[in-house]
Amino acid sequence: MHHTLRNVIVILSFAFTLNSHTADIRFVDVTEQAGIRFEHAGGIDHRVVPALVGSGAAWRDYDNDGRLDLYIANSALVRPAPDAVLPKNALYRNNGDGTFTDVTDAAGVGDTGWGMGCAFADYDNDGDADLYVTNHKANLFYRNNGDGSFKRYSSGAGGIGDTGFGSGIAWGDYDNDGYLDLYIGNYIEYGKVPQGDEVFFPYDFFGQTNILYLNKGDGGFINITNAAKVNGGFHLTLGISAADYDADGDLDLYLANDTDQNILYRNDGDLTFTNTNRPDARSRTGDIRSGMGVTWGDYDTDGDLDLFVTNWLDENNVLYRNNGDGIFTDVSAESGIFASGLGKTCWGTAFFDADNDGDLDLFFAAGHIDPASWEAHGQADVLLQNNGDGTFTDISEAVGLRVSDRHGVGRGVAVADYDADGDLDLFIVNNGAKPTLLRNDGGNRQHWLQIRTVGTVSNRDGVGAVVKVSAGGLHQIQQVTAGDSYLSQSSLDVEFGLGPHEKADRIVIQWQSGIVQTLKDVRANQRLVVVEGE
């Protein structure tokens, strides 16, 4: 009897702690009031693969006014009528008051192709953000003119106009020369897909090779895929993300592949990579599932980057803990994330500190691709709270993700503090439907610090820089990333939750140039711009 009562008290105490903690944050759908009128043109009714698997979104301050703007890739119409209004990609300028203005036409970035992924990067180090968009058929590259508009390049122009079935994007300085290179994934050889209304699954599809474009530093690029040994091996790549998982100072690449083996490419530092799925270089990250989205983050705060991959509905999502020796351990079950994705087709994802308590929470979007006749197309998205002990708890309902009938058809996910209030918000592209902008209300009740990196010797965006923050007993690490999740890009700014601490005792930035920069006693609740070497 006493043991039973004690157990009840423990359970009630845990429930109270969880509820009081999660009650501080809530995600509110503000899409309409923010003025985002976009609608994705894909969907199950189109019965074609490019329409079913797209699309992504990217956050970036493209006009250098200090506010994060939003770009969204769109699908196309299968057989448009002669007088049809064609769907197009969209650029929304942040007005600074919680609303956005559609500036697509003025900026010249409203492509009407089969849009998939998108990611910004200052490829020429001139101080403004350029844009790359992957498509089924010709990809697009937009160079920022610096006046609110872009110059469009397509197939062949600038040396990076691939014409495959483009998917994920990962900008990164893979040779550490100070210029951002471009890795793009390719999905399927669409001309070899069997024709018929009932073909939706990729098990018998033929893949395409991926591409690594080396930035020559003179405005042009060169294809070095085969020489670098990173062509992906016809593995139907969807999600891509770059990270220095082995802390050796260069960017490695992870590919989430559909119905085929995922690949972790280790950068060997001489413009060649090693596939760590080989028996002589095993990283134990090469599961054969239906990989969709990918994100890196130090969820267990042990000083190295761990890996999360989303998968198909009858396969669990996978959390790989970095052991620090080049090998990863699948901790999906023991961490509590195993069941959270079962029965869901999972896509875009992100590690981020939703409540600013000093550890990384985990979000992923879900949505059917071909539901059974009795099922709805939409599925509920999931937010997993980091418990600080290596485990996660599903708090989706408690923070408002399931309080309405907005069970979206999630694809791309991108994270940013778009309203500059100190907590991170979520944007979700819903396939064949309106997107969702979820404003984080209450995440800024604990202290925080945002850091934007500006390279001088390294690339201008500081992509690849590793930022370490210590505050009291909190020790965190993040890396500046340009392209991850599913076909998407979160803000380049890295945000650290500081919990109750009013300052960061120490900030250490390890730039890709090799420069190490240290700041001490930095007050909390500010956006800090750190220039390399200053």
Side-chain angles (χ1 to χ4, degrees):
M1 177 68 176
H2 293 294
H3 290 293
T4 302
L5 179 60
R6 184 177 65 186
N7 290 342
V8 171
I9 292 173
V10 170
I11 292 170
L12 289 176
S13 175
F14 173 77
F16 176 78
T17 301
L18 176 62
N19 290 337
S20 63
H21 193 58
T22 59
D24 288 341
I25 64 171
R26 194 164 187 84
F27 284 91
V28 179
D29 186 342
V30 295
T31 315
E32 287 295 322
Q33 69 189 70
I36 298 175
R37 308 287 185 246
F38 180 89
E39 185 159 355
H40 188 264
I44 192 66
D45 293 336
H46 283 66
R47 303 231 181 236
V48 292
V49 175
L52 292 171
V53 298
S55 301
W59 290 102
R60 188 66 191 262
D61 179 9
Y62 81 95
D63 55 357
N64 286 335
D65 66 353
R67 304 162 185 163
L68 288 171
D69 311 298
L70 177 65
Y71 189 79
I72 316 170
N74 207 344
S75 191
L77 299 179
V78 179
R79 298 178 185 86
D83 58 347
V85 177
L86 298 180
K88 59 184 176 183
N89 302 346
L91 177 62
Y92 285 91
R93 187 186 64 222
N94 191 330
N95 299 322
D97 59 0
T99 68
F100 293 80
T101 298
D102 187 336
V103 294
T104 307
D105 294 337
V109 291
D111 185 52
T112 58
W114 294 93
M116 290 288 288
C118 50
F120 288 95
D122 185 359
Y123 91 101
D124 50 4
N125 292 337
D126 66 349
D128 50 38
D130 312 293
L131 173 64
Y132 196 82
V133 181
T134 55
N135 289 325
H136 163 50
K137 300 183 179 178
N139 296 340
L140 295 171
F141 176 57
Y142 295 97
R143 190 180 65 201
N144 196 324
N145 294 325
D147 59 0
S149 68
F150 292 77
K151 181 176 181 179
R152 169 176 166 165
Y153 295 89
S154 58
S155 181
I160 53 175
D162 187 55
T163 57
F165 192 151
S167 56
I169 301 168
W171 288 98
D173 184 3
Y174 298 105
D175 59 348
N176 286 359
D177 68 346
Y179 290 92
L180 287 172
D181 313 302
L182 176 65
Y183 190 84
I184 61 171
N186 278 314
Y187 188 38
I188 61 173
E189 190 64 51
Y190 199 53
K192 296 182 180 179
V193 173
Q195 299 301 305
D197 286 344
E198 302 306 317
V199 176
F200 301 108
F201 301 102
Y203 303 113
D204 297 320
F205 290 178
F206 295 90
Q208 293 181 326
T209 56
N210 301 334
I211 298 177
L212 174 59
Y213 289 114
L214 182 71
N215 189 334
K216 297 190 295 181
D218 60 0
F221 292 79
I222 183 171
N223 185 337
I224 62 164
T225 310
N226 291 332
K229 303 177 182 177
V230 286
N231 68 15
F234 302 95
H235 276 330
L236 287 81
T237 299
L238 284 172
I240 297 174
S241 187
D244 185 7
Y245 80 93
D246 52 0
D248 65 350
D250 50 37
L251 286 173
D252 313 293
L253 277 163
Y254 191 80
L255 314 183
N257 295 322
D258 196 2
T259 67
D260 215 330
Q261 187 175 51
N262 295 341
I263 298 176
L264 175 58
Y265 282 118
R266 185 186 68 220
N267 191 333
D268 294 328
D270 56 359
L271 272 182
T272 63
F273 292 73
T274 295
N275 182 344
T276 65
N277 290 335
R278 297 186 333 196
D280 60 342
R282 279 191 71 188
S283 61
R284 298 180 183 168
T285 60
D287 282 333
I288 300 176
R289 309 189 193 205
S290 299
M292 310 287 193
V294 54
T295 185
W296 293 91
D298 183 16
Y299 83 94
D300 53 358
T301 63
D302 67 347
D304 50 36
L305 296 171
D306 310 295
L307 175 66
F308 180 74
V309 184
T310 59
N311 289 302
W312 181 252
L313 61 86
D314 57 356
E315 305 162 338
N316 67 285
N317 298 330
V318 182
L319 177 60
Y320 296 102
R321 185 185 64 214
N322 190 335
N323 298 331
D325 57 0
I327 298 175
F328 291 73
T329 299
D330 181 344
V331 294
S332 308
E334 63 196 74
S335 66
I337 67 98
F338 183 93
S340 61
L342 293 179
K344 298 175 181 289
T345 300
C346 305
W347 304 82
T349 182
F351 276 119
F352 74 112
D353 192 350
D355 50 7
N356 282 328
D357 66 346
D359 51 36
L360 294 175
D361 308 300
L362 182 59
F363 178 85
F364 59 85
H368 267 304
I369 198 168
D370 185 27
S373 59
W374 62 87
E375 295 178 291
H377 197 187
Q379 295 179 315
D381 303 325
V382 175
L383 178 63
L384 299 171
Q385 182 186 53
N386 192 328
N387 298 321
D389 59 1
T391 67
F392 292 82
T393 299
D394 188 339
I395 60 169
S396 309
E397 186 171 357
V399 299
L401 295 184
R402 297 176 186 166
V403 297
S404 70
D405 59 358
R406 196 221 68 78
H407 285 182
V409 192
R411 296 294 188 263
V413 169
V415 178
D417 183 11
Y418 83 93
D419 52 0
D421 66 348
D423 50 35
L424 291 169
D425 313 291
L426 289 162
F427 185 80
I428 306 153
V429 180
N430 291 308
N431 182 268
K434 296 179 180 179
T436 308
L437 176 62
L438 293 173
R439 186 185 66 211
N440 185 339
D441 285 354
N444 55 7
R445 292 176 184 171
Q446 300 202 70
H447 295 298
W448 52 274
L449 187 65
Q450 294 177 1
I451 299 172
R452 178 190 170 201
T453 53
V454 179
T456 53
V457 182
S458 304
N459 64 85
R460 179 68 176 261
D461 285 338
V463 172
V466 175
V467 184
K468 301 178 180 180
V469 172
S470 298
L474 298 176
H475 302 282
Q476 303 173 67
I477 180 174
Q478 292 189 44
Q479 187 160 35
V480 181
T481 302
D484 64 353
S485 180
Y486 178 74
L487 312 179
S488 297
Q489 178 186 40
S490 295
S491 168
L492 292 187
D493 298 346
V494 289
E495 179 174 287
F496 296 85
L498 301 183
H501 304 290
E502 297 182 353
K503 69 172 184 176
D505 301 317
R506 183 181 178 91
I507 300 172
V508 177
I509 302 177
Q510 296 174 318
W511 301 86
Q512 277 204 275
S513 64
I515 293 174
V516 178
Q517 201 163 347
T518 302
L519 297 81
K520 296 181 179 179
D521 297 324
V522 179
R523 65 176 175 84
N525 305 333
Q526 65 167 316
R527 182 171 183 258
L528 189 68
V529 178
V530 180
V531 179
E532 184 178 14
E534 293 185 5

